[in-house]
Amino acid sequence: MKDKVIKVDYLARVEGEGALYVKVKNGYVVDVKLRIFEPPRFFEAFLRGRSFMEVPDITARICGICPIAYQMSSVHAIESIFGVKPTRQIRELRRLIYCGEWIESHALHIFMLHLPDFFGYDDVIQMSKQYPDLVKKALRLKKIGNEIVRIIGGREIHPINVRVGGFYKVPKKNDLKKIEDDLKWARDFCVEAVKFLAGLDFPDFEQDYEFVALSHPDEYPFNEGRIVSSKGLNISVNEYDSYFIEEHVPHSNALHSSIIGRGAYFVGPLARFNLNFDKLSPLVKEVSLEIDFKPVCKNPFKSIIARAVETLYACDEALRIISEYEEPENPFVSFEIKPGIGYGCTEAPRGILYHRYKVDEKGIILDAKIVPPTSQNLKMMESDLWKFTATYLNLPEDELTWKCEQAIRNYDPCISCATHFLKLYIERE
Amino acid sequence: MKGNKEKKILIVGVGNLYRGDDAIGILMARYFRKFFKDSVKIIGVDATFEDLICDWKNFDVVILIDAIMGDDAGKIYRFEYGIDKIPAVLKFYSTHSFGVAEYIELAEALGTLPKKLIIYGIVGNKFDIGDSISHRVKLSCKNLVGLVLEDLNSGKFLF
C-alpha cells in the first residue's frame, strides 16, 4: 500500500497524554507528528516570587515518578549561586536517593510498560498471566527503589526531606542497613534480568545519533559533571543555554529541544551507557560484556537493556554507599543568600534535566527555566518515526502501528513532565 | 471494633489531593486513621499502587475508597470483588495509564489479592488540577463513613 495514515489516538504505556500521527504518500513518509496535548502546567511561572527554599518541594511536584531528579537539579542550581559545597556524606546520600529513583523508575518502565511490547502483549496484565514470577520480582524490585527514596526522602512520592545545602534530616546507619539484604536480592535479580532482556528480539534499526549525557571524571553520573556528546560537545552546565535551544511546534504543548546548528539529540540510559561505560562498576561492566552489550549501541530498541544495566548499577552503587555510610554531623551545610543566576543539570532516569534560576538578594526566585529530558528527546523520537516507518512501510498496518508505539516507548517518555504525553495516527493517501 | 482484633484490616484511600474530587479517597483515609487509631491499618495511595498490590494479600479485609467518574456526583457505589461486577460505564479515575481497576486485575493475575476486597467509589465530576471538591461529594462522605462502619461491624466478616 503506497498511501496510508497511521493514527494512535491515545498512546498507552507512557506517562502522560499524547498521540502520534504518521502520513505516507506515494510510498514515502511525508509527515510525522508527536502530538502532545496535555495542557502546560506553568511551573516555571509560579516559581517566580517564591523563596528558594520552596523550590525543591515545588519542583518535586512536577513528576510522581522522578521527583528526586527535580529536587536534585534545583538544589544544585541554587547552591551554585550561593557557593554551597555539600560534604562528602551529603553528596553520597544524594547519590543514594537517586539510586532509589532510578531503580523504581527503570523497573516500572522495563517490566510494566516496555517488556509487553517485546512479547506481543497489550499490557503487563496479559503478560503477568504467562510470566507471574517475573512480574512479582519486578514489583519487588520497584518497591526496593521506593523504599530507598522513603528512608532518605521521607516518603516515596514527592519526598519532602531534600533542601538546599543537604537534607532536613539524615538517616541513621541502621536505617540504611535494614535494606541491604533486599538490595543484594535486587542486584542478583538485575543480573538475571539483564541476561534475559539481552535475549529478546530487537528490530534491526539504527541512526547516527548524537548522544548527550553528563560525564564525571570519577563516577557514573547522577548529580554532577560536564555535558558531553558522542559528537564532541563538552561544556559546563552553565553553558547549556548557549548550545541548546527550545522551540515551540504547533502540534505540541511540550517544547522541542535541539542542539543549536545540529538538531535533534538523544538523552537517557542509552546515551549515559554509551558515554560513561568505563565508569560503571566492575560487576556491571562484566555482566554487560558477557552479553556483548557495549558502546556504542545505536539501536534505540536496546534502550531496555541499557535501562536494566543501569538498574543493576544503581543496586550495586546503593550497596557501596550504604556499606561506607557514616551519619554526617550536620544534615546540611550553612550558607549565605546571595543574588545571582545558578545552573543545575542532573541525570533523571530519562536523561539530563536542566534547571536555571535567577534569585534576588533575599533568595526570591525572579526567573526559572526547566528543561525535562522528554522535551529533549521529542525531536529524536519524531526522527526515529520518520526513518522507522520508511524502513518498515511494508509491515501489516497493525504491526507497523504497534512497532511505532514501541519506538516511542524506547525513550520512556514522561509527557506530564514535558508539558509540561501520547496517541498514533499513520495516514496513507 | 469489638472482636475484630483477629482480623487484619486495611483501609486504602486512593487519589490525588490536588485534583478536586480525586482527593476524596485520601481525605477519607485520613479521617479513618484518626477514628481507628491502631486497630485498622490505613494508607493513602497516589502513585505507588504497585507496592500496594504486593502487600495487601497479607490482609483479611481490604476496603478501598476512590473517586470514580460519572454523572451523578456524590453517589456511592459499593463493589465486593468476586461478587459484584463493576458496571462498564464506571471507570475509576486515573491520571496515569493504569487505574485502580487495572491494578486489581493485575493482582488477580499474580494471585496477590486479599481474602476480601471491598471497593467504595464516590462519583465525582471535578478532576482538574486545583479544583475544589464538589459540594455533593462532600455531603456523601458522612454516608460513606456509616457504610464502612457497617461493613466492619457486620457479621459478614465474623468480627
Side-chain angles (χ1 to χ4, degrees):
Chain A
M1 200 190 302
K2 283 183 174 177
D3 301 337
K4 66 167 84 176
V5 173
I6 299 180
K7 297 201 292 187
V8 174
D9 289 337
Y10 190 95
L11 200 74
R13 286 184 276 130
V14 296
E15 304 292 341
E17 301 169 16
L20 181 66
Y21 171 90
V22 178
K23 185 173 182 179
V24 179
K25 193 171 183 179
N26 299 323
Y28 292 96
V29 180
V30 294
D31 197 10
V32 172
K33 285 190 178 83
L34 206 47
R35 289 178 169 158
I36 309 296
F37 47 80
E38 181 162 301
R41 298 185 294 166
F42 307 114
F43 269 87
E44 288 146 318
F46 69 65
L47 281 164
R48 289 182 213 140
R50 315 291 300 207
S51 162
F52 73 95
M53 285 293 281
E54 294 180 279
V55 176
D57 292 328
I58 292 175
T59 56
R61 286 278 167 183
I62 292 174
C63 186
I65 310 291
C66 54
I68 298 301
Y70 285 91
Q71 295 191 314
M72 291 297 135
S73 288
S74 66
V75 294
H76 279 281
I78 293 165
E79 287 170 1
S80 76
I81 305 172
F82 304 157
V84 180
K85 297 275 176 235
T87 61
R88 181 179 169 276
Q89 285 305 345
I90 287 172
R91 203 175 169 281
E92 289 281 90
L93 277 176
R94 285 180 171 176
R95 278 183 77 77
L96 182 57
I97 196 169
Y98 233 140
C99 287
E101 178 158 287
W102 278 22
I103 293 169
E104 59 89 5
S105 176
H106 282 356
L108 174 71
H109 188 259
I110 294 167
F111 299 101
M112 311 281 283
L113 305 179
H114 207 192
L115 190 55
D117 280 329
F118 292 90
F119 289 146
Y121 292 112
D122 285 339
D123 55 40
V124 69
I125 299 168
Q126 301 303 317
M127 191 177 88
S128 66
K129 290 171 183 164
Q130 195 69 38
Y131 298 95
D133 290 341
L134 178 67
V135 176
K136 280 181 190 170
K137 286 177 179 175
L139 290 170
R140 183 177 173 193
L141 176 66
K142 183 178 185 297
K143 192 177 173 189
I144 292 166
N146 281 340
E147 185 62 5
I148 296 174
V149 175
R150 191 193 63 76
I151 292 171
I152 305 171
R155 61 187 186 194
E156 301 93 328
I157 308 297
H158 309 309
I160 33 78
N161 190 35
V162 172
R163 56 161 287 169
V164 174
F167 296 89
Y168 290 99
K169 187 182 170 189
V170 289
K172 306 271 183 210
K173 196 173 174 71
N174 275 347
D175 296 333
L176 297 176
K177 282 280 174 196
K178 282 179 196 161
I179 51 170
E180 260 189 331
D181 286 345
D182 276 337
L183 269 167
K184 285 175 184 166
W185 172 88
R187 185 172 59 183
D188 290 345
F189 170 61
C190 285
V191 171
E192 267 179 57
V194 168
K195 293 176 182 175
F196 168 73
L197 294 169
L200 296 172
D201 284 332
F202 296 98
D204 186 16
F205 178 76
E206 287 190 353
Q207 283 218 79
D208 182 25
Y209 296 106
E210 179 157 10
F211 293 107
V212 175
L214 288 181
S215 174
H216 187 277
D218 306 316
E219 58 197 22
Y220 199 78
F222 280 107
N223 289 66
E224 294 163 32
R226 292 177 66 79
I227 299 170
V228 303
S229 86
S230 53
K231 294 191 176 176
L233 186 78
N234 188 334
I235 59 170
S236 63
V237 172
N238 59 17
E239 294 176 285
Y240 181 94
D241 292 320
S242 304
Y243 289 84
F244 296 85
I245 190 163
E246 283 187 297
E247 293 163 310
H248 179 256
V249 292
H251 58 276
S252 171
N253 283 340
L255 298 173
H256 280 204
S257 289
S258 57
I259 299 178
I260 296 169
R262 304 227 281 260
Y265 59 103
F266 191 130
V267 303
L270 193 61
R272 283 192 294 259
F273 174 86
N274 282 331
L275 293 164
N276 294 282
F277 177 78
D278 59 320
K279 301 296 186 307
L280 289 166
S281 62
L283 168 73
V284 183
K285 275 193 269 197
E286 185 189 316
V287 173
S288 298
L289 293 173
E290 194 181 321
I291 57 164
D292 201 30
F293 186 63
K294 53 194 175 194
V296 175
C297 172
K298 294 182 179 175
N299 184 340
F301 290 87
K302 292 188 177 177
S303 289
I304 194 169
I305 307 178
R307 209 165 271 117
V309 165
E310 283 198 333
T311 316
L312 170 60
Y313 173 75
C315 295
D316 206 28
E317 176 71 351
L319 282 163
R320 178 196 68 75
I321 295 168
I322 292 171
S323 70
E324 296 172 6
Y325 179 68
E326 294 298 335
E327 196 179 330
E329 212 169 293
N330 295 307
F332 59 90
V333 294
S334 303
F335 52 85
E336 277 181 26
I337 301 168
K338 297 176 199 166
I341 300 177
Y343 310 85
C345 185
T346 69
E347 285 284 359
R350 292 160 186 81
I352 56 171
L353 168 61
Y354 173 73
H355 286 215
R356 185 193 71 209
Y357 298 99
K358 183 178 182 185
V359 304
D360 68 11
E361 68 284 353
K362 292 180 179 163
I364 301 296
I365 305 296
L366 300 174
D367 184 49
K369 179 176 181 178
I370 297 172
V371 188
T374 296
S375 284
Q376 303 186 61
N377 275 333
L378 279 174
K379 207 175 178 67
M380 202 76 256
M381 286 184 234
E382 283 190 352
S383 168
D384 274 5
L385 262 299
W386 276 95
K387 189 171 176 191
F388 187 82
T389 315
T391 309
Y392 288 95
L393 214 46
N394 294 326
L395 284 176
E397 190 92 8
D398 55 347
E399 196 178 337
L400 181 57
T401 302
W402 184 300
K403 294 281 184 202
C404 285
E405 289 188 67
Q406 187 178 354
I408 292 163
R409 285 191 281 268
N410 288 334
Y411 291 85
D412 185 12
C414 187
I415 295 166
S416 301
C417 280
T419 51
H420 290 222
F421 181 93
L422 215 47
K423 296 179 179 187
L424 171 64
Y425 302 85
I426 303 184
E427 183 176 325
R428 296 180 199 239
E429 241 177 36
Chain B
M1 290 295 100
K2 187 182 171 186
N4 71 353
K5 284 184 181 167
E6 306 82 33
K7 292 283 178 191
K8 287 183 73 179
I9 302 164
L10 173 69
I11 296 180
V12 184
V14 183
N16 183 327
L17 285 172
Y18 301 97
R19 283 184 176 261
D21 293 338
D22 196 26
I24 203 67
I26 302 268
L27 295 176
M28 291 304 297
R30 287 180 179 176
Y31 175 81
F32 283 119
R33 185 176 287 138
K34 287 182 184 169
F35 193 89
F36 290 117
K37 300 261 183 316
D38 297 326
S39 64
V40 173
K41 185 173 172 66
I42 316 281
I43 59 169
V45 175
D46 44 18
T48 53
F49 230 91
E50 298 88 358
D51 290 0
L52 175 65
I53 64 168
C54 295
D55 295 339
W56 68 7
K57 65 176 185 295
N58 301 318
F59 290 86
D60 298 301
V61 181
V62 173
I63 297 176
L64 190 148
I65 304 163
D66 194 9
I68 55 177
M69 295 181 103
D71 296 327
D72 195 1
K75 183 168 182 177
I76 298 173
Y77 286 86
R78 180 189 184 279
F79 310 103
E80 197 166 325
Y81 191 79
I83 296 175
D84 303 312
K85 188 171 166 36
I86 298 176
V89 292
L90 295 170
K91 292 275 182 202
F92 283 83
Y93 182 76
S94 171
T95 53
H96 295 271
S97 51
F98 256 40
V100 170
E102 286 89 351
Y103 279 112
I104 291 171
E105 203 181 334
L106 180 58
E108 185 187 30
L110 295 173
T112 61
L113 281 169
K115 291 190 183 96
K116 191 170 283 286
L117 173 62
I118 298 166
I119 304 145
Y120 280 104
I122 306 180
V123 177
N125 56 15
K126 289 166 72 181
F127 291 102
D128 285 336
I129 291 172
D131 275 349
S132 57
I133 296 175
S134 311
H135 181 64
R136 290 172 68 184
V137 170
K138 277 185 196 165
L139 289 178
S140 65
C141 290
K142 200 181 275 184
N143 294 337
L144 182 68
V145 170
L147 289 168
V148 170
L149 292 178
E150 200 177 303
D151 272 333
L152 296 177
N153 284 314
S154 74
K156 289 181 201 168
F157 310 136
L158 306 173
F159 293 128

